[in-house]
Amino acid sequence: MAATAVPTPPLLQISSTQPEPGSLVVEVDGEVDAASAPELSVALEPVWAAVSTRVVLDLSRVTFLGTAGLAELLRAADRADAAGVALRLVGGTRCVDRAIEVAGLAGRLPLSPDLGHAMHR
């Protein structure tokens, strides 16, 4: 009897919502590492031209944030600066908060404790 392959869920899922005009919330769920960081880059590429005020990256469901993920967050910060858009990050998980802290990036990638705070600061 042959074994049946069970599909595995993707390591990274990305979705977005527009809670108010000019703003976009991008929800990132899963692992952001060398294998999945390019997916985040592709998902964010059209964002900078589509918003005028704020992009919130909700990382509250990220289960792993590696150096490639940190590099992508820095690129996002640079793109936001170039587009004149405020970039806000929602942390709240130990892996995200700790990765940004240990890398010494808290000044460049400040974290909001929740979505409401990120949307209105």
Side-chain angles (χ1 to χ4, degrees):
M1 178 183 265
T4 303
V6 176
T8 59
L11 296 178
L12 185 65
Q13 295 179 345
I14 303 166
S15 61
S16 62
T17 57
Q18 187 175 18
E20 55 191 49
S23 295
L24 191 69
V25 174
V26 179
E27 298 172 340
V28 183
D29 186 349
E31 301 176 5
V32 187
D33 58 13
S36 62
E39 292 176 53
L40 183 57
S41 180
V42 168
L44 292 176
E45 190 59 40
V47 165
W48 312 115
V51 298
S52 59
T53 307
R54 171 185 315 108
V55 172
V56 176
L57 291 180
D58 184 348
L59 306 173
S60 63
R61 289 188 301 258
V62 169
T63 57
F64 178 81
L65 181 60
T67 56
L70 288 169
E72 187 52 45
L73 294 179
L74 288 171
R75 277 191 289 281
D78 290 343
R79 290 179 189 153
D81 288 346
V85 172
L87 176 66
R88 306 285 187 249
L89 304 179
V90 176
T93 64
R94 180 167 167 73
C95 73
V96 170
D97 297 354
R98 184 87 171 121
I100 289 173
E101 177 188 328
V102 168
L105 297 173
R108 183 71 175 116
L109 300 172
L111 294 167
S112 296
D114 57 51
L115 186 57
H117 186 262
M119 286 297 296
H120 298 103
R121 66 169 212 175

